[in-house]
Amino acid sequence: MVEIVYWIAAIFATMFGMASLSLSLPNHWRQVTGIETSLPSRSEQLSLRILGYSSLVVALLLCLAADHPTMAVLVWVMLLSLAAKGIATILTWRQHWLKPLVWLFNRTELN
Amino acid sequence: MFSSFRQAMAWLHTWFGLTLGFILMVVFFFGTLSVFDREIDRWSIPETRFEPQVMPSFDEMLLPILRSVEPSEEDYNTNMPLLHDLSQGPMTPRTELPADEFWAYTTHRDPVLIMGVGFRVPQPLDPEGHNHIHGNITIDPRTGKALPDDQLKIGSKFFYPMHFSLNWNWNRIGIYIVGIAAFIMMAALVSGVIIHRKRFREFFTFRPNKQTQRSVLDLHNLTGMVALPFHFFFTFTGLLIFASFFFFPVTHTQLEPLHKYHEMVEANETGLPHDRAGVPAEMASIDAMVAKAKQRWAEKDMPGEVGFLQINHLDDANSYVSIYRAGSDRVALVGEGMHFSGTTGELIREEPPRSAIAETEEFLTGLHLQHFEHWLLRWLYVFGGLVGAICIATGFIFFVEKRKRQHTLQGSSGSQVVDALAVTTVTGMLVATVSMLVANRLLSAEMVGKGYWEQVVFWGSWSVMLLHAFWRSSAVRHMRISPAWREQSILFALLAFAAVILNWITTGDHLLKTAFHYWPVAGVDLSLLVSSAIAIYAARFLKRRENVAVHKAIEFSAQKLEASRG
């Protein structure tokens, strides 16, 4: 049963990773801030990417903790797809859910 | 012909995607259902709704049953005249054929045990060939009772073969068609990424409120890209599984003599006799061999149960028994085979460690065939398969949306035909699938040829959906949405709901009883209910869209009229 905890954690980690990566793209950044002219600065973009990719790595480690490595890799790859689709869905209908993440990087943008 | 590489790729993507996309839709959808083929079997054959069992005692239970199996009449009538050498005398009567090979197979998801006998043709035309007439049986491993042979395992024997052969077995043409479609899928993936490479900058974009053509393309690109690794790997490994079949079908044609020679060399190397000795002999205890095999697996740090067991050259001095491990705990499909002498029970051969290439190949085919035990990964595969289906379906809709205006002005019926075929392969296929499940619950289990009639219902309802889709498609010619999409969605929703209710009425199994107690049946029921709800939502949504499209169509006609006047 303990693997279920790892899987749930891995799902959250991939979602968080994909959310950060999506915000590093100007189009999606604008979608969340709701300001046509806003852009993530270079440093913000870089930190969002580092945070994004490292969460994906954390998710891989969580998958490895839950399963045999060959199985864990498959679960991880499929979770990446699931998370990407999930973030796309959030960006379409619930953009404001990602606001806290923008706020984490840029407090002025949302004031 | 094309001014740029990208244009050439777009042409390839559009036209090959369109022609073979309909096949791919079938492959993706039934592939998705095949993830839970055994569960669908349980749903469709209520007598088999019990927990999976380990393989029972071979000596006490299975052997006497296997000894009583008779060769299949159908197999005898088709193949005996081809295998038997008439110059040596008349054909041995069906029930007098001697048994040569016994096998038994089970998985962690199969409560039933599938077993079979290969009967020897005593006077064969080609003594070197595999001269076997087969007889199979499925039993309840708790009691040894045979389950009626007539009932079709809808999941593993109809939906699953549909995935890789379209159930079209004439000269294996279905497998070839699926192979070509898979090959085109690879090309479509690569060309798709080339056409839409700019999309990586807006990777997560879906704009449902833009005009249909735009939002459909968004969804097409999104579903294609987010599950790109899944699409690529499943297409690739699917081709790999059939590689020797698709690319080098020469082992049984041009290279047949070499193939036979290789078998002899292999038999010499492994010490597993290639031929019968012709000397009758008593068989040793199979259960003792099973115990020894399990002990060896445990020593190699991979304790496990038996998945597949085969006795070769039965009742002969050269007989040997091959025992393979059930591979439920790893991706690679490996059996760690142990081979024993059938007469002495001695271990003759233990399969050596595999090369890196063999390991890779086994991992790749194993990830596709998924014999492992991992419910989360199974559901993730369902997600991948459905996302693939959305990608293909939105491809069709985009094709229609992009061209219907132009086709209408030119008086061409191109979009109309594509739209009708899309309806048939999307909602029509769903209707056919649930119709089969409804038929399964309505037809009596004792009915002769029940499985045949279930298939008639499947193909029949699909054909009706095709006719319906074409009948209603004239709307597309008038720049509207074909009402067939909505009507078939409603029909699907009703049938899916009916299937769940019929399951309750005919077997007494309803969700309150099965949920948390028997997931195979509860899972099928829940999936049917969820699909039904989604179909209702889709139908309501389509109704709204149809109304909007009617207004637009009127505007369009008015413009056309004005243009023709002025």
Side-chain angles (χ1 to χ4, degrees), chain B residues 417-442:
Chain B
V417 171
V418 172
D419 192 72
L421 288 173
V423 171
T424 313
T425 40
V426 180
T427 50
M429 182 163 60
L430 289 171
V431 170
T433 306
V434 282
S435 299
M436 191 177 193
L437 295 180
V438 168
N440 168 275
R441 288 295 84 228
L442 285 177

PDB file of all heavy atoms in Angstrom, chain B residues 417-442:
ATOM      1  N   VAL B 417     -18.396  12.781 -47.062  1.00  0.00           N
ATOM      2  CA  VAL B 417     -17.999  11.373 -46.946  1.00  0.00           C
ATOM      3  C   VAL B 417     -17.060  11.183 -45.752  1.00  0.00           C
ATOM      4  O   VAL B 417     -17.247  10.268 -44.938  1.00  0.00           O
ATOM      5  CB  VAL B 417     -17.320  10.897 -48.254  1.00  0.00           C
ATOM      6  CG1 VAL B 417     -16.718   9.519 -48.077  1.00  0.00           C
ATOM      7  CG2 VAL B 417     -18.315  10.916 -49.398  1.00  0.00           C
ATOM      8  N   VAL B 418     -16.074  12.082 -45.624  1.00  0.00           N
ATOM      9  CA  VAL B 418     -15.125  11.947 -44.513  1.00  0.00           C
ATOM     10  C   VAL B 418     -15.855  12.073 -43.182  1.00  0.00           C
ATOM     11  O   VAL B 418     -15.613  11.312 -42.239  1.00  0.00           O
ATOM     12  CB  VAL B 418     -14.003  13.010 -44.616  1.00  0.00           C
ATOM     13  CG1 VAL B 418     -13.135  13.011 -43.365  1.00  0.00           C
ATOM     14  CG2 VAL B 418     -13.148  12.739 -45.838  1.00  0.00           C
ATOM     15  N   ASP B 419     -16.803  13.020 -43.103  1.00  0.00           N
ATOM     16  CA  ASP B 419     -17.541  13.213 -41.858  1.00  0.00           C
ATOM     17  C   ASP B 419     -18.360  11.964 -41.520  1.00  0.00           C
ATOM     18  O   ASP B 419     -18.375  11.510 -40.378  1.00  0.00           O
ATOM     19  CB  ASP B 419     -18.463  14.429 -41.971  1.00  0.00           C
ATOM     20  CG  ASP B 419     -19.027  14.835 -40.626  1.00  0.00           C
ATOM     21  OD1 ASP B 419     -18.260  15.368 -39.810  1.00  0.00           O
ATOM     22  OD2 ASP B 419     -20.228  14.585 -40.381  1.00  0.00           O
ATOM     23  N   ALA B 420     -19.008  11.373 -42.539  1.00  0.00           N
ATOM     24  CA  ALA B 420     -19.816  10.179 -42.282  1.00  0.00           C
ATOM     25  C   ALA B 420     -18.932   9.027 -41.809  1.00  0.00           C
ATOM     26  O   ALA B 420     -19.289   8.292 -40.879  1.00  0.00           O
ATOM     27  CB  ALA B 420     -20.570   9.786 -43.542  1.00  0.00           C
ATOM     28  N   LEU B 421     -17.759   8.888 -42.423  1.00  0.00           N
ATOM     29  CA  LEU B 421     -16.846   7.814 -41.998  1.00  0.00           C
ATOM     30  C   LEU B 421     -16.311   8.086 -40.596  1.00  0.00           C
ATOM     31  O   LEU B 421     -16.111   7.154 -39.802  1.00  0.00           O
ATOM     32  CB  LEU B 421     -15.693   7.676 -42.993  1.00  0.00           C
ATOM     33  CG  LEU B 421     -16.077   7.062 -44.346  1.00  0.00           C
ATOM     34  CD1 LEU B 421     -14.896   7.126 -45.311  1.00  0.00           C
ATOM     35  CD2 LEU B 421     -16.535   5.609 -44.193  1.00  0.00           C
ATOM     36  N   ALA B 422     -16.090   9.358 -40.278  1.00  0.00           N
ATOM     37  CA  ALA B 422     -15.622   9.700 -38.932  1.00  0.00           C
ATOM     38  C   ALA B 422     -16.691   9.354 -37.901  1.00  0.00           C
ATOM     39  O   ALA B 422     -16.396   8.778 -36.851  1.00  0.00           O
ATOM     40  CB  ALA B 422     -15.265  11.181 -38.856  1.00  0.00           C
ATOM     41  N   VAL B 423     -17.941   9.667 -38.210  1.00  0.00           N
ATOM     42  CA  VAL B 423     -19.038   9.310 -37.298  1.00  0.00           C
ATOM     43  C   VAL B 423     -19.041   7.800 -37.091  1.00  0.00           C
ATOM     44  O   VAL B 423     -19.136   7.307 -35.958  1.00  0.00           O
ATOM     45  CB  VAL B 423     -20.402   9.775 -37.873  1.00  0.00           C
ATOM     46  CG1 VAL B 423     -21.546   9.211 -37.039  1.00  0.00           C
ATOM     47  CG2 VAL B 423     -20.482  11.279 -37.915  1.00  0.00           C
ATOM     48  N   THR B 424     -18.901   7.055 -38.183  1.00  0.00           N
ATOM     49  CA  THR B 424     -18.934   5.591 -38.095  1.00  0.00           C
ATOM     50  C   THR B 424     -17.814   5.047 -37.224  1.00  0.00           C
ATOM     51  O   THR B 424     -18.016   4.130 -36.434  1.00  0.00           O
ATOM     52  CB  THR B 424     -18.810   4.967 -39.500  1.00  0.00           C
ATOM     53  OG1 THR B 424     -19.703   5.649 -40.364  1.00  0.00           O
ATOM     54  CG2 THR B 424     -19.125   3.503 -39.478  1.00  0.00           C
ATOM     55  N   THR B 425     -16.608   5.616 -37.374  1.00  0.00           N
ATOM     56  CA  THR B 425     -15.485   5.058 -36.609  1.00  0.00           C
ATOM     57  C   THR B 425     -15.383   5.626 -35.197  1.00  0.00           C
ATOM     58  O   THR B 425     -14.651   5.086 -34.389  1.00  0.00           O
ATOM     59  CB  THR B 425     -14.131   5.287 -37.329  1.00  0.00           C
ATOM     60  OG1 THR B 425     -14.134   6.577 -37.886  1.00  0.00           O
ATOM     61  CG2 THR B 425     -13.895   4.246 -38.377  1.00  0.00           C
ATOM     62  N   VAL B 426     -16.085   6.714 -34.905  1.00  0.00           N
ATOM     63  CA  VAL B 426     -16.024   7.232 -33.527  1.00  0.00           C
ATOM     64  C   VAL B 426     -17.270   6.754 -32.769  1.00  0.00           C
ATOM     65  O   VAL B 426     -17.214   5.768 -32.032  1.00  0.00           O
ATOM     66  CB  VAL B 426     -15.879   8.765 -33.492  1.00  0.00           C
ATOM     67  CG1 VAL B 426     -15.823   9.253 -32.050  1.00  0.00           C
ATOM     68  CG2 VAL B 426     -14.613   9.188 -34.227  1.00  0.00           C
ATOM     69  N   THR B 427     -18.394   7.389 -32.999  1.00  0.00           N
ATOM     70  CA  THR B 427     -19.581   7.004 -32.227  1.00  0.00           C
ATOM     71  C   THR B 427     -20.133   5.654 -32.695  1.00  0.00           C
ATOM     72  O   THR B 427     -20.615   4.862 -31.895  1.00  0.00           O
ATOM     73  CB  THR B 427     -20.676   8.077 -32.345  1.00  0.00           C
ATOM     74  OG1 THR B 427     -20.861   8.382 -33.724  1.00  0.00           O
ATOM     75  CG2 THR B 427     -20.289   9.328 -31.605  1.00  0.00           C
ATOM     76  N   GLY B 428     -20.019   5.374 -34.017  1.00  0.00           N
ATOM     77  CA  GLY B 428     -20.539   4.107 -34.543  1.00  0.00           C
ATOM     78  C   GLY B 428     -19.844   2.909 -33.912  1.00  0.00           C
ATOM     79  O   GLY B 428     -20.480   1.920 -33.539  1.00  0.00           O
ATOM     80  N   MET B 429     -18.541   3.032 -33.757  1.00  0.00           N
ATOM     81  CA  MET B 429     -17.773   1.935 -33.162  1.00  0.00           C
ATOM     82  C   MET B 429     -18.172   1.730 -31.694  1.00  0.00           C
ATOM     83  O   MET B 429     -18.266   0.594 -31.216  1.00  0.00           O
ATOM     84  CB  MET B 429     -16.287   2.257 -33.270  1.00  0.00           C
ATOM     85  CG  MET B 429     -15.366   1.196 -32.731  1.00  0.00           C
ATOM     86  SD  MET B 429     -13.692   1.430 -33.317  1.00  0.00           S
ATOM     87  CE  MET B 429     -13.298   3.038 -32.683  1.00  0.00           C
ATOM     88  N   LEU B 430     -18.424   2.841 -30.997  1.00  0.00           N
ATOM     89  CA  LEU B 430     -18.852   2.740 -29.596  1.00  0.00           C
ATOM     90  C   LEU B 430     -20.202   2.039 -29.505  1.00  0.00           C
ATOM     91  O   LEU B 430     -20.412   1.164 -28.653  1.00  0.00           O
ATOM     92  CB  LEU B 430     -18.960   4.132 -28.978  1.00  0.00           C
ATOM     93  CG  LEU B 430     -17.651   4.871 -28.724  1.00  0.00           C
ATOM     94  CD1 LEU B 430     -17.923   6.308 -28.333  1.00  0.00           C
ATOM     95  CD2 LEU B 430     -16.884   4.171 -27.623  1.00  0.00           C
ATOM     96  N   VAL B 431     -21.113   2.409 -30.405  1.00  0.00           N
ATOM     97  CA  VAL B 431     -22.435   1.785 -30.403  1.00  0.00           C
ATOM     98  C   VAL B 431     -22.302   0.282 -30.674  1.00  0.00           C
ATOM     99  O   VAL B 431     -22.907  -0.541 -29.981  1.00  0.00           O
ATOM    100  CB  VAL B 431     -23.365   2.459 -31.450  1.00  0.00           C
ATOM    101  CG1 VAL B 431     -24.639   1.662 -31.634  1.00  0.00           C
ATOM    102  CG2 VAL B 431     -23.680   3.882 -31.039  1.00  0.00           C
ATOM    103  N   ALA B 432     -21.465  -0.086 -31.663  1.00  0.00           N
ATOM    104  CA  ALA B 432     -21.280  -1.503 -31.996  1.00  0.00           C
ATOM    105  C   ALA B 432     -20.747  -2.267 -30.782  1.00  0.00           C
ATOM    106  O   ALA B 432     -21.204  -3.371 -30.463  1.00  0.00           O
ATOM    107  CB  ALA B 432     -20.323  -1.639 -33.174  1.00  0.00           C
ATOM    108  N   THR B 433     -19.794  -1.653 -30.074  1.00  0.00           N
ATOM    109  CA  THR B 433     -19.173  -2.317 -28.926  1.00  0.00           C
ATOM    110  C   THR B 433     -20.185  -2.571 -27.807  1.00  0.00           C
ATOM    111  O   THR B 433     -20.278  -3.692 -27.291  1.00  0.00           O
ATOM    112  CB  THR B 433     -18.005  -1.456 -28.389  1.00  0.00           C
ATOM    113  OG1 THR B 433     -17.138  -1.188 -29.474  1.00  0.00           O
ATOM    114  CG2 THR B 433     -17.254  -2.162 -27.300  1.00  0.00           C
ATOM    115  N   VAL B 434     -20.953  -1.543 -27.457  1.00  0.00           N
ATOM    116  CA  VAL B 434     -21.911  -1.770 -26.366  1.00  0.00           C
ATOM    117  C   VAL B 434     -23.089  -2.628 -26.824  1.00  0.00           C
ATOM    118  O   VAL B 434     -23.654  -3.356 -26.016  1.00  0.00           O
ATOM    119  CB  VAL B 434     -22.448  -0.484 -25.690  1.00  0.00           C
ATOM    120  CG1 VAL B 434     -21.433   0.074 -24.744  1.00  0.00           C
ATOM    121  CG2 VAL B 434     -22.907   0.531 -26.683  1.00  0.00           C
ATOM    122  N   SER B 435     -23.418  -2.570 -28.116  1.00  0.00           N
ATOM    123  CA  SER B 435     -24.488  -3.446 -28.611  1.00  0.00           C
ATOM    124  C   SER B 435     -24.104  -4.899 -28.378  1.00  0.00           C
ATOM    125  O   SER B 435     -24.927  -5.734 -28.007  1.00  0.00           O
ATOM    126  CB  SER B 435     -24.706  -3.259 -30.110  1.00  0.00           C
ATOM    127  OG  SER B 435     -25.086  -1.959 -30.385  1.00  0.00           O
ATOM    128  N   MET B 436     -22.813  -5.190 -28.587  1.00  0.00           N
ATOM    129  CA  MET B 436     -22.344  -6.553 -28.393  1.00  0.00           C
ATOM    130  C   MET B 436     -22.498  -6.957 -26.925  1.00  0.00           C
ATOM    131  O   MET B 436     -22.916  -8.081 -26.619  1.00  0.00           O
ATOM    132  CB  MET B 436     -20.886  -6.638 -28.817  1.00  0.00           C
ATOM    133  CG  MET B 436     -20.368  -8.042 -28.917  1.00  0.00           C
ATOM    134  SD  MET B 436     -18.672  -8.037 -29.495  1.00  0.00           S
ATOM    135  CE  MET B 436     -18.480  -9.773 -29.889  1.00  0.00           C
ATOM    136  N   LEU B 437     -22.186  -6.010 -26.016  1.00  0.00           N
ATOM    137  CA  LEU B 437     -22.314  -6.314 -24.594  1.00  0.00           C
ATOM    138  C   LEU B 437     -23.786  -6.510 -24.211  1.00  0.00           C
ATOM    139  O   LEU B 437     -24.122  -7.400 -23.412  1.00  0.00           O
ATOM    140  CB  LEU B 437     -21.676  -5.205 -23.749  1.00  0.00           C
ATOM    141  CG  LEU B 437     -20.161  -5.045 -23.892  1.00  0.00           C
ATOM    142  CD1 LEU B 437     -19.654  -3.922 -22.999  1.00  0.00           C
ATOM    143  CD2 LEU B 437     -19.421  -6.336 -23.563  1.00  0.00           C
ATOM    144  N   VAL B 438     -24.649  -5.682 -24.796  1.00  0.00           N
ATOM    145  CA  VAL B 438     -26.077  -5.827 -24.513  1.00  0.00           C
ATOM    146  C   VAL B 438     -26.568  -7.181 -25.038  1.00  0.00           C
ATOM    147  O   VAL B 438     -27.269  -7.920 -24.332  1.00  0.00           O
ATOM    148  CB  VAL B 438     -26.879  -4.658 -25.145  1.00  0.00           C
ATOM    149  CG1 VAL B 438     -28.367  -4.937 -25.128  1.00  0.00           C
ATOM    150  CG2 VAL B 438     -26.578  -3.359 -24.414  1.00  0.00           C
ATOM    151  N   ALA B 439     -26.140  -7.544 -26.250  1.00  0.00           N
ATOM    152  CA  ALA B 439     -26.532  -8.838 -26.831  1.00  0.00           C
ATOM    153  C   ALA B 439     -26.042  -9.974 -25.945  1.00  0.00           C
ATOM    154  O   ALA B 439     -26.748 -10.957 -25.712  1.00  0.00           O
ATOM    155  CB  ALA B 439     -25.956  -8.975 -28.232  1.00  0.00           C
ATOM    156  N   ASN B 440     -24.829  -9.808 -25.416  1.00  0.00           N
ATOM    157  CA  ASN B 440     -24.258 -10.827 -24.546  1.00  0.00           C
ATOM    158  C   ASN B 440     -25.137 -11.082 -23.324  1.00  0.00           C
ATOM    159  O   ASN B 440     -25.299 -12.222 -22.869  1.00  0.00           O
ATOM    160  CB  ASN B 440     -22.854 -10.395 -24.107  1.00  0.00           C
ATOM    161  CG  ASN B 440     -22.293 -11.236 -22.991  1.00  0.00           C
ATOM    162  OD1 ASN B 440     -22.555 -10.990 -21.825  1.00  0.00           O
ATOM    163  ND2 ASN B 440     -21.556 -12.263 -23.361  1.00  0.00           N
ATOM    164  N   ARG B 441     -25.743 -10.034 -22.793  1.00  0.00           N
ATOM    165  CA  ARG B 441     -26.593 -10.196 -21.612  1.00  0.00           C
ATOM    166  C   ARG B 441     -28.004 -10.653 -21.976  1.00  0.00           C
ATOM    167  O   ARG B 441     -28.695 -11.239 -21.172  1.00  0.00           O
ATOM    168  CB  ARG B 441     -26.661  -8.887 -20.813  1.00  0.00           C
ATOM    169  CG  ARG B 441     -25.419  -8.476 -20.037  1.00  0.00           C
ATOM    170  CD  ARG B 441     -25.039  -9.426 -18.910  1.00  0.00           C
ATOM    171  NE  ARG B 441     -24.256 -10.552 -19.395  1.00  0.00           N
ATOM    172  CZ  ARG B 441     -24.497 -11.821 -19.100  1.00  0.00           C
ATOM    173  NH1 ARG B 441     -25.477 -12.158 -18.324  1.00  0.00           N
ATOM    174  NH2 ARG B 441     -23.741 -12.775 -19.576  1.00  0.00           N
ATOM    175  N   LEU B 442     -28.445 -10.351 -23.216  1.00  0.00           N
ATOM    176  CA  LEU B 442     -29.805 -10.720 -23.598  1.00  0.00           C
ATOM    177  C   LEU B 442     -29.910 -12.148 -24.111  1.00  0.00           C
ATOM    178  O   LEU B 442     -30.899 -12.834 -23.862  1.00  0.00           O
ATOM    179  CB  LEU B 442     -30.331  -9.754 -24.673  1.00  0.00           C
ATOM    180  CG  LEU B 442     -30.723  -8.356 -24.185  1.00  0.00           C
ATOM    181  CD1 LEU B 442     -31.163  -7.490 -25.339  1.00  0.00           C
ATOM    182  CD2 LEU B 442     -31.829  -8.440 -23.131  1.00  0.00           C
TER     183      LEU B 442
END
